[in-house]
Amino acid sequence: MSSRIEQIIQEIEDYVESCKFQPLSSTKIVVNKEELEELLRELRMKTPDEIKRYQKIISSKDAIIQDAKSKAETEVAEATAKAQQLVSDSEVMRMAQEQAEELLERAQKQAQEIVDNATNDANNIRMSAISYTDEMLENLEKIMSHTIETAGAKYETFLNSIQSCYDIVNKNRQELSPQEVPSNYIPDEDEEEEEE
C-alpha cells in the first residue's frame, strides 16, 4: 500500500503528462498554476508526517533490542533456577550440573540469536526508511526543479511578448503624431494648388 506522498507525486506526474504543449514547442507545457500549487501544498503538508512515521520506526529498534535482552535474561534466570533445583545431593548434583550447564549454554545461544535477529531487523527497517525518504525527497526535488525551470521560461516569454507589443504601440503612436511644421514656413504655389 503506497503512502499519500507517493500518491501525490503520482498525481503531479500524471497532471504534468496530461498538460498540453505550448504552441510551436515540444518541450514546454501549459499548466494550471492553482491546480499544481494545490498538489504541491498538500505534498508539503504530508512530508513531515511521513518522515516522523519513519523516524518512529527507526527509534523502535531500541525497544526491539531491549525486549530481546529481557527475554534472554528471563531464559537465563529460568535455566539457573532449574539448575539450582536439580542440585540436591552428590550424584544428583553432578547430573544436575551437566544439565544446568547444557541448559545455560543453550539459553545463552538462543538469547544471542534473539539479540542478533532483533538488531538485524531494526537495521533493515532503518535502512528501508532512510532509502524511502531519500527517494521521496529526490522525486520532490525533481518536480520542484522542473516547475522552477518551466515558470522561469514562461515568465521570460511573457516579458518578451509584452516588450514586443510595447514597441509596436510606441511605433504606431510616433507614426500617428503630426510632423511639426516650422512657424515661418510658407507653402509654395504648387503645394497650394495640390491642397485645393
Side-chain angles (χ1 to χ4, degrees), residues 21-72:
F21 286 101
Q22 277 187 345
L24 305 175
S25 174
S26 62
T27 56
K28 295 179 182 176
I29 57 171
V30 178
V31 296
N32 181 323
K33 183 180 176 189
E34 290 179 1
E35 192 171 341
L36 188 58
E37 283 179 343
E38 180 60 33
L39 288 169
L40 290 173
R41 212 176 0 261
E42 186 176 354
L43 185 62
R44 195 177 295 117
M45 286 176 10
K46 292 287 180 187
T47 300
D49 292 338
E50 287 286 320
I51 291 172
K52 282 179 192 171
R53 187 160 67 90
Y54 288 107
Q55 284 175 336
K56 196 172 183 180
I57 290 171
I58 291 167
S59 66
S60 69
K61 76 171 182 147
D62 293 335
I64 294 169
I65 292 171
Q66 187 59 43
D67 183 58
K69 284 181 180 176
S70 176
K71 284 180 181 175

Side-chain angles (χ1 to χ4, degrees), residues 109-130:
K109 189 176 178 182
Q110 262 186 329
Q112 188 59 49
E113 284 177 7
I114 290 170
V115 170
D116 290 346
N117 290 338
T119 302
N120 286 337
D121 288 346
N123 286 336
N124 288 339
I125 290 170
R126 179 177 177 275
M127 292 308 295
S128 295
I130 288 172

Side-chain angles (χ1 to χ4, degrees), residues 13-27:
E13 289 173 347
D14 292 345
Y15 175 71
V16 169
E17 279 295 317
S18 70
C19 289
K20 294 181 180 177
F21 286 101
Q22 277 187 345
L24 305 175
S25 174
S26 62
T27 56

Side-chain angles (χ1 to χ4, degrees), residues 92-121:
V92 176
M93 182 185 265
R94 187 183 59 76
M95 291 174 60
Q97 193 166 2
E98 287 176 5
Q99 288 181 352
E101 286 173 1
E102 184 182 333
L103 190 62
L104 188 60
E105 188 179 336
R106 261 189 293 154
Q108 286 174 335
K109 189 176 178 182
Q110 262 186 329
Q112 188 59 49
E113 284 177 7
I114 290 170
V115 170
D116 290 346
N117 290 338
T119 302
N120 286 337
D121 288 346

